[in-house]
Every structure is written in C-alpha cells, then in structure tokens.
Amino acid sequence: MAWTWRFETADGTETSPSVVPEEFTTQGDAESWIGEYWKELLDGGTEKVKLSDDNGTELYAMSLREALGA
C-alpha cells in the first residue's frame, strides 16, 4: 500500500510542497517524514496536509500552523 500527502494553502487549495516527498510504503514512514519536514513545508506556504492511502481514503488532516503553536 502507498501513502500520500496532499498539501494545501490556508483556504484549502492544493499547492506544491517546498520539500518534495518520497514514496511512502507505510503510514509510519509518511508520518515520520511529515514530522521531520513540517516546519520547512510551513515556511514554504503549506498550511494544511492530508494523509491518504492508495485507495484515496483520507485518514486525517492537520494544520501545520496549529503544530507550530503546540
């Protein structure tokens, strides 16, 4: 199974990430990657991310801006 991130601006428009993700074969790998690069993504204009599996099922969405305040 493959896992992918969708990168969005504050208004929910899809955007290109400032850091290009690799292909993730596990959910854990995808989550580890976002944990490593979320600040760079936020600095590059990505405000929100959504994680989906290769069936297109969205697992969750999160705000990178909110993570900054955590």
Side-chain angles (χ1 to χ4, degrees), residues 15-46:
T15 188
S16 295
S18 58
V19 180
V20 178
E22 56 195 68
E23 188 170 306
F24 306 109
T25 56
T26 69
Q27 182 176 350
D29 288 345
E31 291 170 341
S32 292
W33 183 87
I34 205 74
E36 186 173 338
Y37 291 105
W38 71 270
K39 287 181 185 177
E40 291 171 38
L41 292 164
L42 183 59
D43 288 344
T46 298

Side-chain angles (χ1 to χ4, degrees), residues 1-4 23-25 51-59:
M1 182 171 287
W3 305 87
T4 57
E23 188 170 306
F24 306 109
T25 56
L51 183 62
S52 300
D53 64 19
D54 58 0
N55 293 323
T57 302
E58 184 180 305
L59 292 134

Side-chain angles (χ1 to χ4, degrees), residues 51 60 63:
L51 183 62
Y60 60 85
S63 166

